[in-house]
Amino acid sequence: MMAVVGSRGVMAVLASTLLLLGGATATAQAEPTDPPTPAAPCAYPSVCFVKDGEVVYAYDQVTPWQYLPALLPAPLQVINTRHETIWIGDTKGGAQCIQPESVFDKWLDTLESVRIDDSEECELL
């Protein structure tokens, strides 16, 4: 048997439901995220590796691939103040190009190497 409820009946059901919930209403919210950490100071023409808001490594010269003094686990930022591209390499053998004059947030993996190019294009030669 199906019950038919008029508009007044629906309003009564809604009112009693709100009364039971104490007048609370539910709204969808995104999960909170941490605010981005401001980039540490990194002067031109440097490439800076920033961990926990502090510069841990900085490079100024065009270089072939070279290993960092120690492995650098994510999360971290790479700041490229140069007018050329740079490349970062991780311990899994991956490489990522960082565009000129940009900040790159690295959320995964561990960095082990860097290459500073004299090119504005992301091309490994």
Side-chain angles (χ1 to χ4, degrees), residues 14-120:
L14 287 174
S16 62
T17 302
L18 284 176
L19 182 60
L20 288 174
L21 293 174
T25 58
T27 57
Q29 293 182 345
E31 288 188 34
T33 58
D34 294 331
T37 304
C42 183
Y44 175 83
S46 296
V47 172
C48 300
F49 292 85
V50 179
K51 181 80 173 164
D52 298 325
E54 294 187 30
V55 174
V56 291
Y57 304 127
Y59 297 89
D60 295 330
Q61 303 296 320
V62 172
T63 62
W65 281 106
Q66 64 179 327
Y67 286 101
L68 301 174
L71 296 179
L72 195 54
L76 60 102
Q77 286 182 324
V78 180
I79 303 171
N80 181 9
T81 66
R82 301 179 64 84
H83 303 300
E84 300 88 19
T85 59
I86 66 163
W87 288 82
I88 54 175
D90 63 44
T91 56
K92 294 180 180 178
Q96 175 86 40
C97 181
I98 311 295
Q99 295 293 327
E101 302 171 28
S102 65
V103 176
F104 178 74
D105 292 316
K106 182 77 170 164
W107 294 103
L108 301 172
D109 301 323
T110 299
L111 296 184
E112 70 174 356
S113 58
V114 62
R115 174 184 165 164
I116 301 174
D117 279 338
D118 58 359
S119 169
E120 294 177 12

